[in-house]
mmCIF file of all heavy atoms in Angstrom:
data_model
loop_
_atom_site.group_PDB
_atom_site.id
_atom_site.type_symbol
_atom_site.label_atom_id
_atom_site.label_comp_id
_atom_site.label_asym_id
_atom_site.label_seq_id
_atom_site.Cartn_x
_atom_site.Cartn_y
_atom_site.Cartn_z
ATOM 1 N N THR W 133 101.954 98.332 93.424
ATOM 2 C CA THR W 133 102.331 99.500 94.213
ATOM 3 C C THR W 133 101.902 100.768 93.499
ATOM 4 O O THR W 133 101.629 100.769 92.293
ATOM 5 C CB THR W 133 103.854 99.558 94.448
ATOM 6 O OG1 THR W 133 104.509 99.647 93.182
ATOM 7 C CG2 THR W 133 104.343 98.340 95.204
ATOM 8 N N GLY W 134 101.858 101.854 94.255
ATOM 9 C CA GLY W 134 101.527 103.141 93.658
ATOM 10 C C GLY W 134 101.694 104.252 94.671
ATOM 11 O O GLY W 134 102.081 104.027 95.822
ATOM 12 N N SER W 135 101.430 105.450 94.218
ATOM 13 C CA SER W 135 101.453 106.613 95.113
ATOM 14 C C SER W 135 100.418 107.605 94.638
ATOM 15 O O SER W 135 99.971 107.572 93.490
ATOM 16 C CB SER W 135 102.844 107.247 95.155
ATOM 17 O OG SER W 135 103.168 107.799 93.905
ATOM 18 N N LEU W 136 100.025 108.489 95.539
ATOM 19 C CA LEU W 136 99.073 109.537 95.216
ATOM 20 C C LEU W 136 99.285 110.701 96.155
ATOM 21 O O LEU W 136 99.951 110.573 97.181
ATOM 22 C CB LEU W 136 97.635 109.038 95.308
ATOM 23 C CG LEU W 136 97.073 108.715 96.684
ATOM 24 C CD1 LEU W 136 95.569 108.893 96.654
ATOM 25 C CD2 LEU W 136 97.409 107.310 97.090
ATOM 26 N N THR W 137 98.744 111.845 95.775
ATOM 27 C CA THR W 137 98.776 113.025 96.626
ATOM 28 C C THR W 137 97.432 113.129 97.328
ATOM 29 O O THR W 137 96.388 113.094 96.683
ATOM 30 C CB THR W 137 99.039 114.298 95.802
ATOM 31 O OG1 THR W 137 100.291 114.150 95.137
ATOM 32 C CG2 THR W 137 99.064 115.530 96.682
ATOM 33 N N LEU W 138 97.480 113.230 98.654
ATOM 34 C CA LEU W 138 96.264 113.379 99.457
ATOM 35 C C LEU W 138 96.345 114.669 100.263
ATOM 36 O O LEU W 138 97.429 115.117 100.623
ATOM 37 C CB LEU W 138 96.112 112.227 100.448
ATOM 38 C CG LEU W 138 95.633 110.887 99.959
ATOM 39 C CD1 LEU W 138 95.557 109.902 101.124
ATOM 40 C CD2 LEU W 138 94.292 110.989 99.283
ATOM 41 N N ARG W 139 95.198 115.227 100.572
ATOM 42 C CA ARG W 139 95.069 116.356 101.491
ATOM 43 C C ARG W 139 93.749 116.171 102.238
ATOM 44 O O ARG W 139 92.914 115.374 101.815
ATOM 45 C CB ARG W 139 95.121 117.701 100.763
ATOM 46 C CG ARG W 139 93.949 117.961 99.824
ATOM 47 C CD ARG W 139 93.967 119.344 99.161
ATOM 48 N NE ARG W 139 93.777 120.377 100.132
ATOM 49 C CZ ARG W 139 94.711 121.296 100.465
ATOM 50 N NH1 ARG W 139 95.883 121.291 99.879
ATOM 51 N NH2 ARG W 139 94.463 122.206 101.373
ATOM 52 N N SER W 140 93.577 116.904 103.295
ATOM 53 C CA SER W 140 92.314 116.837 104.023
ATOM 54 C C SER W 140 91.764 118.236 104.200
ATOM 55 O O SER W 140 92.425 119.106 104.762
ATOM 56 C CB SER W 140 92.504 116.191 105.396
ATOM 57 O OG SER W 140 91.276 116.203 106.096
ATOM 58 N N ASP W 141 90.565 118.449 103.704
ATOM 59 C CA ASP W 141 89.849 119.711 103.888
ATOM 60 C C ASP W 141 88.673 119.525 104.840
ATOM 61 O O ASP W 141 87.796 120.372 104.923
ATOM 62 C CB ASP W 141 89.344 120.229 102.536
ATOM 63 C CG ASP W 141 90.481 120.542 101.581
ATOM 64 O OD1 ASP W 141 91.496 121.091 102.027
ATOM 65 O OD2 ASP W 141 90.364 120.224 100.381
ATOM 66 N N HIS W 142 88.657 118.383 105.534
ATOM 67 C CA HIS W 142 87.519 118.005 106.374
ATOM 68 C C HIS W 142 87.947 117.824 107.826
ATOM 69 O O HIS W 142 89.103 117.564 108.113
ATOM 70 C CB HIS W 142 86.919 116.695 105.856
ATOM 71 C CG HIS W 142 86.542 116.752 104.420
ATOM 72 N ND1 HIS W 142 85.412 117.386 103.965
ATOM 73 C CD2 HIS W 142 87.168 116.288 103.316
ATOM 74 C CE1 HIS W 142 85.340 117.296 102.655
ATOM 75 N NE2 HIS W 142 86.408 116.632 102.228
ATOM 76 N N PRO W 143 87.002 117.932 108.756
ATOM 77 C CA PRO W 143 87.314 117.688 110.160
ATOM 78 C C PRO W 143 87.797 116.253 110.368
ATOM 79 O O PRO W 143 87.551 115.378 109.544
ATOM 80 C CB PRO W 143 85.982 117.908 110.871
ATOM 81 C CG PRO W 143 85.093 118.581 109.909
ATOM 82 C CD PRO W 143 85.600 118.281 108.543
ATOM 83 N N VAL W 144 88.467 116.031 111.487
ATOM 84 C CA VAL W 144 88.890 114.682 111.852
ATOM 85 C C VAL W 144 87.646 113.811 111.959
ATOM 86 O O VAL W 144 86.641 114.207 112.550
ATOM 87 C CB VAL W 144 89.642 114.702 113.204
ATOM 88 C CG1 VAL W 144 89.880 113.298 113.714
ATOM 89 C CG2 VAL W 144 90.951 115.451 113.065
ATOM 90 N N GLU W 145 87.698 112.631 111.363
ATOM 91 C CA GLU W 145 86.600 111.673 111.459
ATOM 92 C C GLU W 145 86.821 110.845 112.708
ATOM 93 O O GLU W 145 87.857 110.190 112.845
ATOM 94 C CB GLU W 145 86.557 110.788 110.216
ATOM 95 C CG GLU W 145 85.347 109.912 110.129
ATOM 96 C CD GLU W 145 84.060 110.686 110.043
ATOM 97 O OE1 GLU W 145 83.887 111.489 109.118
ATOM 98 O OE2 GLU W 145 83.205 110.495 110.949
ATOM 99 N N THR W 146 85.887 110.900 113.654
ATOM 100 C CA THR W 146 86.050 110.198 114.929
ATOM 101 C C THR W 146 85.118 108.998 115.066
ATOM 102 O O THR W 146 85.171 108.302 116.061
ATOM 103 C CB THR W 146 85.822 111.160 116.116
ATOM 104 O OG1 THR W 146 84.505 111.718 116.002
ATOM 105 C CG2 THR W 146 86.864 112.258 116.129
ATOM 106 N N ARG W 147 84.256 108.775 114.064
ATOM 107 C CA ARG W 147 83.347 107.630 114.095
ATOM 108 C C ARG W 147 83.485 106.858 112.795
ATOM 109 O O ARG W 147 83.669 107.442 111.734
ATOM 110 C CB ARG W 147 81.899 108.079 114.266
ATOM 111 C CG ARG W 147 81.655 108.774 115.593
ATOM 112 C CD ARG W 147 80.230 109.114 115.832
ATOM 113 N NE ARG W 147 79.514 109.393 114.594
ATOM 114 C CZ ARG W 147 78.275 109.843 114.550
ATOM 115 N NH1 ARG W 147 77.627 110.065 115.658
ATOM 116 N NH2 ARG W 147 77.683 110.078 113.407
ATOM 117 N N GLY W 148 83.376 105.558 112.874
ATOM 118 C CA GLY W 148 83.491 104.715 111.687
ATOM 119 C C GLY W 148 82.243 104.749 110.830
ATOM 120 O O GLY W 148 81.183 105.186 111.262
ATOM 121 N N GLY W 149 82.404 104.286 109.598
ATOM 122 C CA GLY W 149 81.251 104.126 108.719
ATOM 123 C C GLY W 149 81.061 105.196 107.670
ATOM 124 O O GLY W 149 80.511 104.928 106.616
ATOM 125 N N ASN W 150 81.488 106.426 107.929
ATOM 126 C CA ASN W 150 81.313 107.501 106.962
ATOM 127 C C ASN W 150 82.547 107.584 106.073
ATOM 128 O O ASN W 150 83.596 108.051 106.497
ATOM 129 C CB ASN W 150 81.077 108.841 107.658
ATOM 130 C CG ASN W 150 80.935 109.985 106.674
ATOM 131 O OD1 ASN W 150 80.787 109.779 105.469
ATOM 132 N ND2 ASN W 150 80.978 111.199 107.169
ATOM 133 N N THR W 151 82.431 107.151 104.823
ATOM 134 C CA THR W 151 83.560 107.188 103.903
ATOM 135 C C THR W 151 83.373 108.240 102.809
ATOM 136 O O THR W 151 84.065 108.218 101.799
ATOM 137 C CB THR W 151 83.788 105.803 103.258
ATOM 138 O OG1 THR W 151 82.595 105.401 102.586
ATOM 139 C CG2 THR W 151 84.183 104.765 104.300
ATOM 140 N N SER W 152 82.480 109.186 103.031
ATOM 141 C CA SER W 152 82.194 110.198 102.000
ATOM 142 C C SER W 152 83.366 111.137 101.734
ATOM 143 O O SER W 152 83.413 111.765 100.683
ATOM 144 C CB SER W 152 80.947 111.006 102.382
ATOM 145 O OG SER W 152 81.187 111.754 103.559
ATOM 146 N N THR W 153 84.319 111.233 102.652
ATOM 147 C CA THR W 153 85.470 112.120 102.454
ATOM 148 C C THR W 153 86.724 111.354 102.025
ATOM 149 O O THR W 153 87.801 111.933 101.958
ATOM 150 C CB THR W 153 85.766 112.913 103.745
ATOM 151 O OG1 THR W 153 86.061 111.998 104.799
ATOM 152 C CG2 THR W 153 84.589 113.798 104.121
ATOM 153 N N PHE W 154 86.592 110.084 101.729
ATOM 154 C CA PHE W 154 87.717 109.265 101.305
ATOM 155 C C PHE W 154 87.960 109.423 99.803
ATOM 156 O O PHE W 154 87.068 109.797 99.052
ATOM 157 C CB PHE W 154 87.444 107.787 101.599
ATOM 158 C CG PHE W 154 87.591 107.397 103.049
ATOM 159 C CD1 PHE W 154 86.869 108.022 104.050
ATOM 160 C CD2 PHE W 154 88.440 106.364 103.406
ATOM 161 C CE1 PHE W 154 86.986 107.638 105.372
ATOM 162 C CE2 PHE W 154 88.574 105.966 104.729
ATOM 163 C CZ PHE W 154 87.849 106.604 105.718
ATOM 164 N N THR W 155 89.168 109.092 99.368
ATOM 165 C CA THR W 155 89.546 109.105 97.954
ATOM 166 C C THR W 155 89.615 107.663 97.465
ATOM 167 O O THR W 155 90.190 106.798 98.125
ATOM 168 C CB THR W 155 90.930 109.775 97.774
ATOM 169 O OG1 THR W 155 90.829 111.131 98.204
ATOM 170 C CG2 THR W 155 91.394 109.720 96.339
ATOM 171 N N ARG W 156 89.054 107.411 96.298
ATOM 172 C CA ARG W 156 89.065 106.069 95.706
ATOM 173 C C ARG W 156 90.377 105.857 94.960
ATOM 174 O O ARG W 156 90.806 106.705 94.175
ATOM 175 C CB ARG W 156 87.890 105.920 94.743
ATOM 176 C CG ARG W 156 87.839 104.600 94.036
ATOM 177 C CD ARG W 156 87.178 103.561 94.900
ATOM 178 N NE ARG W 156 87.273 102.273 94.244
ATOM 179 C CZ ARG W 156 87.250 101.142 94.888
ATOM 180 N NH1 ARG W 156 87.096 101.125 96.188
ATOM 181 N NH2 ARG W 156 87.356 100.011 94.255
ATOM 182 N N VAL W 157 91.036 104.729 95.206
ATOM 183 C CA VAL W 157 92.227 104.317 94.466
ATOM 184 C C VAL W 157 91.867 103.036 93.719
ATOM 185 O O VAL W 157 91.451 102.053 94.338
ATOM 186 C CB VAL W 157 93.428 104.056 95.404
ATOM 187 C CG1 VAL W 157 94.609 103.504 94.620
ATOM 188 C CG2 VAL W 157 93.813 105.323 96.147
ATOM 189 N N ASP W 158 91.985 103.064 92.400
ATOM 190 C CA ASP W 158 91.755 101.870 91.584
ATOM 191 C C ASP W 158 93.104 101.263 91.232
ATOM 192 O O ASP W 158 94.029 101.973 90.825
ATOM 193 C CB ASP W 158 90.994 102.219 90.308
ATOM 194 C CG ASP W 158 89.577 102.667 90.590
ATOM 195 O OD1 ASP W 158 88.912 102.033 91.424
ATOM 196 O OD2 ASP W 158 89.135 103.661 89.990
ATOM 197 N N PHE W 159 93.235 99.946 91.371
ATOM 198 C CA PHE W 159 94.469 99.273 91.027
ATOM 199 C C PHE W 159 94.701 99.365 89.520
ATOM 200 O O PHE W 159 93.743 99.285 88.744
ATOM 201 C CB PHE W 159 94.440 97.804 91.461
ATOM 202 C CG PHE W 159 94.282 97.616 92.944
ATOM 203 C CD1 PHE W 159 93.323 96.755 93.448
ATOM 204 C CD2 PHE W 159 95.099 98.282 93.838
ATOM 205 C CE1 PHE W 159 93.179 96.564 94.803
ATOM 206 C CE2 PHE W 159 94.972 98.109 95.206
ATOM 207 C CZ PHE W 159 93.999 97.251 95.685
ATOM 208 N N PRO W 160 95.963 99.497 89.092
ATOM 209 C CA PRO W 160 96.244 99.525 87.655
ATOM 210 C C PRO W 160 95.699 98.282 86.942
ATOM 211 O O PRO W 160 95.164 98.370 85.849
ATOM 212 C CB PRO W 160 97.771 99.574 87.577
ATOM 213 C CG PRO W 160 98.215 100.128 88.891
ATOM 214 C CD PRO W 160 97.184 99.678 89.894
ATOM 215 N N THR W 161 95.823 97.130 87.599
ATOM 216 C CA THR W 161 95.264 95.873 87.102
ATOM 217 C C THR W 161 94.492 95.243 88.257
ATOM 218 O O THR W 161 95.086 94.962 89.305
ATOM 219 C CB THR W 161 96.387 94.905 86.654
ATOM 220 O OG1 THR W 161 97.177 95.543 85.668
ATOM 221 C CG2 THR W 161 95.815 93.615 86.121
ATOM 222 N N PRO W 162 93.186 95.044 88.115
ATOM 223 C CA PRO W 162 92.439 94.432 89.212
ATOM 224 C C PRO W 162 92.998 93.048 89.561
ATOM 225 O O PRO W 162 93.479 92.321 88.695
ATOM 226 C CB PRO W 162 91.017 94.313 88.663
ATOM 227 C CG PRO W 162 90.946 95.332 87.582
ATOM 228 C CD PRO W 162 92.320 95.392 86.989
ATOM 229 N N PHE W 163 92.947 92.714 90.842
ATOM 230 C CA PHE W 163 93.317 91.374 91.283
ATOM 231 C C PHE W 163 92.200 90.414 90.876
ATOM 232 O O PHE W 163 91.053 90.842 90.654
ATOM 233 C CB PHE W 163 93.512 91.357 92.799
ATOM 234 C CG PHE W 163 94.740 92.085 93.259
ATOM 235 C CD1 PHE W 163 94.666 93.396 93.717
ATOM 236 C CD2 PHE W 163 95.989 91.469 93.240
ATOM 237 C CE1 PHE W 163 95.801 94.080 94.145
ATOM 238 C CE2 PHE W 163 97.128 92.142 93.666
ATOM 239 C CZ PHE W 163 97.032 93.445 94.119
ATOM 240 N N PRO W 164 92.472 89.118 90.785
ATOM 241 C CA PRO W 164 91.425 88.158 90.425
ATOM 242 C C PRO W 164 90.252 88.212 91.404
ATOM 243 O O PRO W 164 90.435 88.433 92.598
ATOM 244 C CB PRO W 164 92.139 86.803 90.495
ATOM 245 C CG PRO W 164 93.592 87.117 90.299
ATOM 246 C CD PRO W 164 93.784 88.474 90.943
ATOM 247 N N ASP W 165 89.045 87.997 90.882
ATOM 248 C CA ASP W 165 87.860 87.952 91.741
ATOM 249 C C ASP W 165 88.068 86.955 92.865
ATOM 250 O O ASP W 165 88.648 85.885 92.662
ATOM 251 C CB ASP W 165 86.622 87.553 90.929
ATOM 252 C CG ASP W 165 86.138 88.675 90.045
ATOM 253 O OD1 ASP W 165 86.489 89.845 90.314
ATOM 254 O OD2 ASP W 165 85.404 88.393 89.074
ATOM 255 N N GLY W 166 87.620 87.312 94.057
ATOM 256 C CA GLY W 166 87.741 86.461 95.228
ATOM 257 C C GLY W 166 89.065 86.602 95.959
ATOM 258 O O GLY W 166 89.259 85.968 96.987
ATOM 259 N N SER W 167 89.977 87.430 95.439
ATOM 260 C CA SER W 167 91.265 87.629 96.109
ATOM 261 C C SER W 167 91.082 88.360 97.420
ATOM 262 O O SER W 167 90.259 89.270 97.524
ATOM 263 C CB SER W 167 92.214 88.454 95.240
ATOM 264 O OG SER W 167 92.554 87.785 94.066
ATOM 265 N N GLU W 168 91.866 87.965 98.425
ATOM 266 C CA GLU W 168 91.928 88.700 99.679
ATOM 267 C C GLU W 168 93.130 89.637 99.563
ATOM 268 O O GLU W 168 94.272 89.196 99.449
ATOM 269 C CB GLU W 168 92.095 87.755 100.855
ATOM 270 C CG GLU W 168 92.011 88.448 102.185
ATOM 271 C CD GLU W 168 92.072 87.466 103.342
ATOM 272 O OE1 GLU W 168 91.875 86.259 103.143
ATOM 273 O OE2 GLU W 168 92.328 87.927 104.474
ATOM 274 N N VAL W 169 92.863 90.941 99.574
ATOM 275 C CA VAL W 169 93.899 91.948 99.326
ATOM 276 C C VAL W 169 94.215 92.693 100.622
ATOM 277 O O VAL W 169 93.313 93.073 101.370
ATOM 278 C CB VAL W 169 93.438 92.961 98.244
ATOM 279 C CG1 VAL W 169 94.510 93.997 97.983
ATOM 280 C CG2 VAL W 169 93.066 92.226 96.959
ATOM 281 N N VAL W 170 95.507 92.901 100.875
ATOM 282 C CA VAL W 170 95.981 93.636 102.039
ATOM 283 C C VAL W 170 96.678 94.899 101.533
ATOM 284 O O VAL W 170 97.477 94.842 100.602
ATOM 285 C CB VAL W 170 96.969 92.783 102.869
ATOM 286 C CG1 VAL W 170 97.567 93.600 103.998
ATOM 287 C CG2 VAL W 170 96.278 91.549 103.396
ATOM 288 N N ILE W 171 96.369 96.047 102.161
ATOM 289 C CA ILE W 171 96.956 97.333 101.776
ATOM 290 C C ILE W 171 97.907 97.805 102.877
ATOM 291 O O ILE W 171 97.549 97.813 104.055
ATOM 292 C CB ILE W 171 95.864 98.421 101.599
ATOM 293 C CG1 ILE W 171 94.809 97.968 100.602
ATOM 294 C CG2 ILE W 171 96.481 99.757 101.224
ATOM 295 C CD1 ILE W 171 95.311 97.802 99.204
ATOM 296 N N LEU W 172 99.085 98.238 102.480
ATOM 297 C CA LEU W 172 100.015 98.929 103.365
ATOM 298 C C LEU W 172 100.228 100.310 102.762
ATOM 299 O O LEU W 172 100.555 100.426 101.584
ATOM 300 C CB LEU W 172 101.352 98.191 103.455
ATOM 301 C CG LEU W 172 101.287 96.770 104.004
ATOM 302 C CD1 LEU W 172 102.648 96.102 103.878
ATOM 303 C CD2 LEU W 172 100.841 96.788 105.444
ATOM 304 N N ALA W 173 100.035 101.359 103.565
ATOM 305 C CA ALA W 173 100.196 102.729 103.061
ATOM 306 C C ALA W 173 100.970 103.552 104.079
ATOM 307 O O ALA W 173 100.832 103.345 105.294
ATOM 308 C CB ALA W 173 98.830 103.358 102.811
ATOM 309 N N GLN W 174 101.777 104.481 103.571
ATOM 310 C CA GLN W 174 102.574 105.325 104.457
ATOM 311 C C GLN W 174 102.763 106.693 103.816
ATOM 312 O O GLN W 174 102.977 106.810 102.611
ATOM 313 C CB GLN W 174 103.934 104.682 104.714
ATOM 314 C CG GLN W 174 104.765 105.441 105.712
ATOM 315 C CD GLN W 174 105.992 104.649 106.126
ATOM 316 O OE1 GLN W 174 106.237 103.548 105.666
ATOM 317 N NE2 GLN W 174 106.767 105.235 107.010
ATOM 318 N N VAL W 175 102.718 107.737 104.651
ATOM 319 C CA VAL W 175 102.982 109.096 104.190
ATOM 320 C C VAL W 175 104.478 109.203 103.873
ATOM 321 O O VAL W 175 105.315 108.813 104.684
ATOM 322 C CB VAL W 175 102.565 110.136 105.253
ATOM 323 C CG1 VAL W 175 102.895 111.542 104.790
ATOM 324 C CG2 VAL W 175 101.078 109.997 105.552
ATOM 325 N N GLN W 176 104.810 109.735 102.699
ATOM 326 C CA GLN W 176 106.192 109.809 102.232
ATOM 327 C C GLN W 176 106.810 111.195 102.412
ATOM 328 O O GLN W 176 108.006 111.366 102.178
ATOM 329 C CB GLN W 176 106.254 109.442 100.742
ATOM 330 C CG GLN W 176 105.612 108.116 100.414
ATOM 331 C CD GLN W 176 106.414 106.941 100.914
ATOM 332 O OE1 GLN W 176 107.571 106.787 100.569
ATOM 333 N NE2 GLN W 176 105.805 106.126 101.753
ATOM 334 N N THR W 177 105.997 112.193 102.778
ATOM 335 C CA THR W 177 106.463 113.574 102.893
ATOM 336 C C THR W 177 106.174 114.110 104.282
ATOM 337 O O THR W 177 105.539 113.447 105.100
ATOM 338 C CB THR W 177 105.792 114.459 101.826
ATOM 339 O OG1 THR W 177 104.371 114.260 101.893
ATOM 340 C CG2 THR W 177 106.270 114.103 100.421
ATOM 341 N N PHE W 178 106.606 115.347 104.559
ATOM 342 C CA PHE W 178 106.445 115.973 105.876
ATOM 343 C C PHE W 178 106.046 117.418 105.621
ATOM 344 O O PHE W 178 106.877 118.311 105.660
ATOM 345 C CB PHE W 178 107.774 115.890 106.626
ATOM 346 C CG PHE W 178 107.691 116.259 108.080
ATOM 347 C CD1 PHE W 178 108.236 115.424 109.033
ATOM 348 C CD2 PHE W 178 107.098 117.427 108.508
ATOM 349 C CE1 PHE W 178 108.198 115.747 110.376
ATOM 350 C CE2 PHE W 178 107.038 117.774 109.846
ATOM 351 C CZ PHE W 178 107.601 116.921 110.776
#
């Protein structure tokens, strides 16, 4: 688990494929190679 602060200074992305405005999150400890990983994320503030 983890948390981070995000903001958006970019227009709404309406088409898939362009990840240039995304933020990279590295796991504190990588999962084993070949693992199928599922992410659940939720905004914690308002």
Side-chain angles (χ1 to χ4, degrees):
T133 61
S135 66
L136 69 153
T137 301
L138 283 180
R139 66 177 293 114
S140 177
D141 297 320
H142 305 283
V144 170
E145 189 62 58
T146 58
R147 296 185 329 187
N150 178 12
T151 58
S152 65
T153 60
F154 284 57
T155 297
R156 178 83 186 154
V157 175
D158 293 317
F159 299 130
T161 303
F163 289 97
D165 286 340
S167 295
E168 186 176 344
V169 180
V170 174
I171 305 295
L172 299 173
Q174 185 170 1
V175 178
Q176 307 289 303
T177 51
F178 191 130

